[in-house]
Amino acid sequence: MGIIKIKSLHHSGIDIFHNLTEAQLRNSYENGKGIFIAESPKVINVALNAGYQPIALLCEEKHITGDAADIIKTCGDIPVYTGERDTLATLTGYTLTRGVLCAMHRPVLPSIEDICQNAHRIVVIDGVVDTTNIGAIFRAAAALGIDAVLLTPTSCDPLNRRAVRVSMGSVFLVPWTWLVNGIDQLHHLGFQTAAMALSDDSIDIDNPQLLQEERLAIIMGTEGEGLSEETIKRADYVVKIPMFHQVDSLNVASAAAIAFWQLRKKR
C-alpha cells in the first residue's frame, strides 16, 4: 500500500493509533477480533518473528530508510503512515520510542490445557494491574525458564502497549492465556501450587521440598494487598522470601524474578 504522509490528526486510517483506547483496540476492531500496538523496532521484530500479523505501521519519516526499513520490508503490503516527530507525538499523546509503532492482530489464545501440557513451571498472575509490573514479570518469566503464564481476569492485559514495551517483546515468547476458573483447575492438570505470601505458615523459598515438585505453579498477587485469603488457603504451599532490615515485601516483579530463579526446574 506504500508510504502515506499524515497531513492532519483526522487523516483516514490512523484511528488505531489516535482515537481508540486500549479497551477499544482490544474489543472493537473488525467485529471484535481485536488488535494491539507494539512499540519500538526491537519489540516489533520480536512480534513478527513470533508470527504475529501486522496491520499498519506509524513511524517518523527519518526511520523509513533507517530503523523501520527492514520492518517495512518484512510487513509487505500494509499502510505505512508517517510524519514529523512532533506531529506523531501530538497524534499518539506520547513521544514514540525509537519512532515506530505497529498495529497487529491479536492472536487466538491457546487453552490452559494446551500450554500446560508439557510445562513444569508456570506462573499465575493474580490481580496485578500495573502495566510495568506485567511487562517485567513476563520478561523475567522468559529469561528464567517459566514455561507458561496464566492471568486472572482481574489482571492487566499483557498486550497493553506499555506492558509489551516493558517486556521487550517477551509477551510474544512465553505462551499465556487467561485463568478464569481458579487455581483448582491447575490441580486437575497435575500441578502443585505455591502462593507467594507472608503468613504464619509460610515456608522459605529455598525449602528443598519445593524443588522436588515435578510440576509447580507459582502464584503472584497484587502490588498492594497481595493474594486473597481464599487463594492462599487453596494453595498447596505458602512461600515467602526471607526479608531483612525491617523490609516486609518486594515489588511483585522483583519477587517474581527471585521466585522464578529459585524454583526453576533443573534441566
Side-chain angles (χ1 to χ4, degrees):
M1 189 172 290
I3 309 299
I4 303 170
K5 181 69 176 290
I6 296 173
K7 298 180 179 179
S8 78
L9 300 185
H10 305 289
H11 196 103
S12 176
I14 62 172
D15 280 359
I16 51 179
F17 299 109
H18 176 41
N19 289 330
L20 300 183
T21 66
E22 288 282 355
Q24 289 171 327
L25 287 172
R26 180 175 175 178
N27 298 316
S28 300
Y29 187 78
E30 291 188 354
N31 299 318
K33 184 175 182 180
I35 64 175
F36 68 95
I37 304 297
E39 181 182 2
S40 88
K42 181 174 182 178
V43 171
I44 293 168
N45 276 317
V46 174
L48 293 172
N49 291 336
Y52 284 71
Q53 297 300 309
I55 298 170
L57 283 164
L58 178 71
C59 67
E60 295 178 37
E61 288 181 296
K62 68 179 182 179
H63 291 309
I64 291 176
T65 56
D67 287 347
D70 290 341
I71 294 173
I72 292 171
K73 186 182 301 184
T74 300
C75 286
D77 189 26
I78 66 171
V80 180
Y81 300 103
T82 188
E84 296 294 339
R85 184 179 181 86
D86 290 344
T87 300
L88 300 188
T90 302
L91 172 72
T92 61
Y94 52 88
T95 300
L96 276 61
T97 300
R98 299 289 300 278
V100 188
L101 297 179
C102 185
M104 310 187 103
H105 286 290
R106 282 180 169 268
V108 176
L109 293 179
S111 68
I112 292 175
E113 290 77 10
D114 283 344
I115 67 173
C116 289
Q117 183 175 6
N118 298 314
H120 294 276
R121 293 293 184 267
I122 66 174
V123 60
V124 177
I125 302 176
D126 186 359
V128 177
V129 297
D130 182 86
T131 54
T132 299
N133 282 332
I134 290 290
I137 292 171
F138 264 88
R139 190 172 183 180
L144 300 175
I146 294 297
D147 300 310
V149 178
L150 305 180
L151 302 101
T152 64
T154 55
S155 295
C156 171
D157 174 22
L159 295 182
N160 172 285
R161 178 187 62 84
R162 183 169 176 79
V164 170
R165 180 166 64 84
V166 171
S167 81
M168 293 302 294
S170 296
V171 294
F172 310 128
L173 303 178
V174 184
W176 66 272
T177 194
W178 299 102
L179 178 67
V180 296
N181 295 321
I183 64 172
D184 287 344
Q185 184 176 358
L186 302 178
H187 292 135
H188 296 311
L189 295 174
F191 285 89
Q192 297 293 98
T193 52
M196 298 299 298
L198 294 172
S199 67
D200 293 338
D201 59 348
S202 295
I203 62 174
D204 284 353
I205 196 169
D206 58 357
N207 188 301
Q209 188 173 350
L210 294 168
L211 296 180
Q212 293 173 6
E213 294 292 353
E214 183 66 22
R215 311 185 83 190
L216 189 66
I218 304 164
I219 310 171
M220 307 301 304
T222 65
E223 297 88 341
E225 298 179 358
L227 296 170
S228 69
E229 290 187 9
E230 182 64 21
T231 297
I232 293 172
K233 181 180 177 181
R234 290 180 175 275
D236 299 296
Y237 300 100
V238 185
V239 181
K240 65 181 178 182
I241 300 171
M243 300 284 165
F244 301 91
H245 299 294
Q246 289 79 52
V247 176
D248 61 359
S249 64
L250 292 173
N251 166 273
V252 64
S254 298
I258 293 171
F260 297 163
W261 173 253
Q262 178 62 38
L263 302 177
R264 70 194 186 281
K265 179 70 175 176
K266 301 298 189 293
R267 303 179 188 276

